[in-house]
Amino acid sequence: MAARITPVLYNSMIKLKSMSYKTRYPGRFFFLPLLVSIVLWSGAVDSMADQVAATLQQQAQNLNLEVSVTAPPPASLIAVMELPPQTKIQATSPRNAKLDPKNSQIKWLVKNPRTGTLRFSVTVSKPTDLAKVSAEILYRKPGGGKLIKIDAQKR
């Protein structure tokens, strides 16, 4: 049994063909701005990764890590400093650091950091090459967002 095109159906098809794009798709005025908003908003969320910035400096036997925290601060952050192998760590500031002498790694956990600058320092037995030292900051975006890792810039 073949489908029959009735005069009413035929007239509807002719009318649909003659309609302009604007009349046939009125939702484009809703979806296009929505799409643009989503794209712009996703870029704004990524720019929030700049809530925390870190710099690593060396002054003789001291390695200093400065972490800048902007509002709103994360719930907590972890500062990690990795030194070249066989580097002897003499002191850390703040003292509540977790030391791993085997891997020459120091970790600090900061709960409820305030906006401003946090300073971490490590004193080593002899000056070390800053190019072989690395530092990173780990934190979650406020509100339980994704984990962000920031490498400290060397100066």
Side-chain angles (χ1 to χ4, degrees):
M1 182 180 220
R4 297 181 74 207
I5 298 178
T6 63
V8 174
L9 182 60
Y10 180 75
N11 288 339
S12 298
M13 290 170 51
I14 297 295
K15 187 175 182 181
L16 184 62
K17 282 185 177 180
S18 66
M19 295 172 91
S20 70
Y21 179 79
K22 293 177 186 176
T23 310
R24 263 191 278 169
Y25 302 105
R28 79 179 200 287
F29 291 111
F30 173 74
F31 290 112
L32 184 60
L34 178 66
L35 181 63
V36 169
S37 299
I38 290 171
V39 169
L40 292 176
W41 182 76
S42 67
V45 169
D46 288 341
S47 69
M48 290 175 66
D50 297 330
Q51 287 179 306
V52 176
T55 57
L56 181 63
Q57 301 172 348
Q58 182 177 14
Q59 296 174 341
Q61 295 172 309
N62 293 327
L63 298 165
N64 301 315
L65 177 63
E66 290 189 358
V67 180
S68 299
V69 179
T70 61
S76 62
L77 63 83
I78 300 171
V80 181
M81 190 181 298
E82 292 189 17
L83 306 172
Q86 308 303 322
T87 302
K88 299 208 189 249
I89 302 165
Q90 290 185 330
T92 64
S93 173
R95 292 185 181 208
N96 62 346
K98 180 181 177 187
L99 299 174
D100 183 2
K102 190 179 203 180
N103 295 323
S104 299
Q105 187 181 62
I106 306 104
K107 292 182 183 179
W108 292 272
L109 171 63
V110 181
K111 295 180 180 178
N112 301 316
R114 295 185 178 160
T115 57
T117 303
L118 302 171
R119 290 179 176 82
F120 304 96
S121 177
V122 175
T123 303
V124 294
S125 59
K126 58 182 179 178
T128 185
D129 185 12
L130 187 61
K132 295 179 180 177
V133 177
S134 66
E136 64 186 17
I137 307 299
L138 301 164
Y139 70 97
R140 288 197 185 279
K141 286 185 181 180
K146 67 179 182 177
L147 182 67
I148 297 174
K149 174 185 161 189
I150 296 179
D151 294 323
Q153 295 179 349
K154 297 176 184 178
R155 292 189 182 189

